[in-house]
Amino acid sequence: MQKDDFSNSYVVEGKLALPYTYFAGRLGSTFLTTLRDQARIMGVRCDKCGKVFLPPRQTCERCLEDIRDKWVALESTGVVVNFTVVRQQDKHLPRKTPYVLGMIKLDGADTPIVHIIEGVDPDKISEGMRVKAIFAPESEPSILLINHFEPAA
Amino acid sequence: MAEYYGVDVADIFNTMKSRFRPEGAEGVDAVFGYDIGEEGKWKLTVRQGEMTLDEGGDLSGCDVLVKVDGRTFVGLNIGKIDAMAALGAAKLKVEGDFNLFAATGKLFTKYVPPGQEVEQEQELVVLKRTISVNQRFATGPVMGTFLKGLKEKKILAIKCPVCGRLQSPPREVCAPCRVRNDEWVEIGPSGEMRMLEYCYYASPDPLTGETRETPYGAIGILLDGCRKDEVFWHLLRPDQLDAVQMGIVMGDKVVHGSRLRPVWSENRTGSINDIRYFEIDQ
Amino acid sequence: MGYKNKNRHVGIVGIGETKFSSHREDVNQPEMIHEAVRQALDDAGLGIDDIDCVVHGNMELFEMVHQPDMWHTLGTGAYGKSAFRLTTGGTTGGTLVSGADNLVASGMYDVVMAVGFQKLQEGHTTGGITNMADPLWARKLQSGALTAQAAVKVIAEFGEERARRAAMTYRIIMDKHACKNPNAHRAFHLEWDQIDDLMAHSPPLIGDLRLIHMCSQSDGACAIIFAEEKKARKISEKPVWVRDHITVHREETLNLANNYYPIDTTHRFAAEKLYERNGIDNPLEYFDVFEMYDPSAWWGLDWLRDFFLLEGDAHIRMVENREIMIDGKMPINPSGGVISTNPIGATAMIRVAEAAKQIRGDAGEHQVPGNVEHGLASSFGGTMWTVLTMLEKETNW
């Protein structure tokens, strides 16, 4: 079989740059402004299945109940239920590597959130570790209003 | 004067002074005319970070003249009506320098109707981002051969061994015949213009985010050696937009379009930019 | 063509549409989608447990979110269910309907919910469309979804004055319909005496395509629930039957050749095949309503000829004589169509939803007068894609 000739093949550099806008919506905005102005983390509870969701959502995706008004204040402490160590540096990452991304279940919540864990050697992190939120009220309104979590006593 | 949406047109003008933003007026030196139909006429002068407003009188000599009815004007100011929609429906007309009109949004803080100042709306969080990802596209041997041809000022087409159709830019296969194309043919470089897309609205270039100058012309050219639908897609020399004619084939009726030739770039890298544009060939 | 009759009948038993708008700062994507999902479930009288499978779709690059179906589980209710994602550009909504219909007809699932959405305010529509073009050539040239080719052709064939007047007449008819539809995004209350003014003064975009001719950029979602015949009759008092659908596309090239009618468009090809295999000799006589994916007034005007297999100026006369109005001989887009409302990934689905509402007889103020038994819906996308969907009141075909 004749081999293909690739002498005319080359690579063209390109870029995809497009602006977009994310709307948090009423529920997401309440969550973020409460986080910013009161340093308080709010979840929502589904009365039907009893689950407390964080981040909050308008609908319990399991029962499809409308839970937008069922706010519950959560503790800013919780437990690491899973984690990974990010070691490969990339311009899109929020921290210099190596750093720890953890799944943290706050006290009072049934669903974990993903966040950065600092103040602990990446090789010493473990499931079950108690952590607390460190707030950054000066940040733009995103989940980085919590700057990171760190080990709690 | 009539009220629209519970707002008096005059109140919007009367509050301009207190809503004026000198920082938004930086670099703006112009006279804005507002012709609000039966509601009256206003003349706004912005100079060196200050504004003056005159009611009534002659609006000739304004740098930009905004003609709009009272209802639409109030709607625009309180956010009930979208400016582009109003322009589209010809409810709002802008004469003169359109960019100046577009800048008026920055000159003032938002108008708040009387009595609604204290009504606290929930803060709705909006995050703006630009995703920017570097990409590397492999040309493959077919597109690569074509792009290499452009470097040598040659426009190449690939030919279907079954139906004889030419494709340029080329594709590896002829889709209707489901066969691999195998023969290269040089076409053009001159040809007949068929379709002209006379573009007044420019979209941003996704590679740079820059918006090109308008108007410009995207064209379909039937290069010499090509037939039927085998047109080549490129740009027209911008100053010849009004000097060209489209070719037509309608049944037996054939009208020939303008003859065009490519203008090549000095530095050719094997890209679409190797041809700057096509111009009238005479 | 490999076409086979369906295994079993499939009925539309629930319909949900959000209000369409360009200002939905109050909801995020799953919340907006959920509005349509909730409506469709309520309309069918079903709970989420009754749904076997969820089919989700939009057009990528407009919100710059990838795999949105995952995140949107919060709004679609797909948690723990079979789920698919379909995306075919402008035709996405029609493809969602085709996909859901096939899933039920095949016997794979008894009840399937299809959800189409778009939140164009969150991204850059024209930039997004341009980015879909071939990066080595067409990205530099493509002007988003804007083109004046239809205008060029209609003008060349029928003369400037007649063509422009017909296109603007079409536009005003669509606006009059949109004014009757509370969900429509843009309803300007245009008047007939504005035709000359609009022809002269609406800002030009490309050639003879003016801003007023072009569709809006909308946010919104549409959900439709499909069920197999036995369940459909149990769930709904008036299920609407998906009789047939056809998808036609051709290779990705823009035709800038300016070769004139008659040329074989995907619309005409699809229409011919669909009518032929369903034994429909005169589509104008047969259908009682047609919801057309008309992205601009020029396209809407021009495409009437393709969809109804017309010759000469018959399609122009239909518009000039206002036969396409809601109370005319062949009502087109009583909803106001795509020019008034275009949340792209939902748009083609809204055509099917609206045609189905007409057959049920509960479209509200924009209900076509008289008995509506046979509906047609079209989808359009890309460089010429067509999906046509046929809906019926009875299963007596």
Side-chain angles (χ1 to χ4, degrees), chain A residues 7 11 15-17 26 35 43 48 51 64 82 84 89-90 96 104 107 119 125 131-132 134 138 144 149:
Chain A
S7 58
V11 166
K15 193 163 109 179
L16 187 152
R26 289 195 184 283
L35 195 55
K48 196 166 173 191
K51 278 203 161 36
L64 234 59
N82 211 331
T84 188
Q89 190 61 53
D90 185 278
K96 269 219 157 12
I104 297 149
D107 297 331
I125 186 99
V131 290
K132 64 177 178 192
I134 304 300
E138 304 303 315
L144 290 173
F149 283 81

Side-chain angles (χ1 to χ4, degrees), chain C residues 7-11 13 104-105 109-110 226-236 239 241 394-397:
Chain C
N7 273 340
R8 53 180 183 171
H9 290 318
V10 179
V13 296
V104 176
Y109 303 99
D110 285 347
F226 301 82
E228 60 86 19
E229 183 169 5
K230 268 193 211 137
K231 285 198 174 171
R233 292 194 191 280
K234 210 179 280 176
I235 293 167
S236 175
W241 306 100
E394 309 291 343
T395 52
N396 55 0
W397 61 82

Side-chain angles (χ1 to χ4, degrees), chain C residues 61-82:
Chain C
L61 281 178
F62 288 147
E63 293 88 7
M64 297 306 277
V65 176
H66 298 274
Q67 291 197 286
D69 49 323
M70 303 287 176
W71 176 29
H72 294 172
T73 301
L74 297 179
T76 59
Y79 179 85
K81 297 184 189 302
S82 295

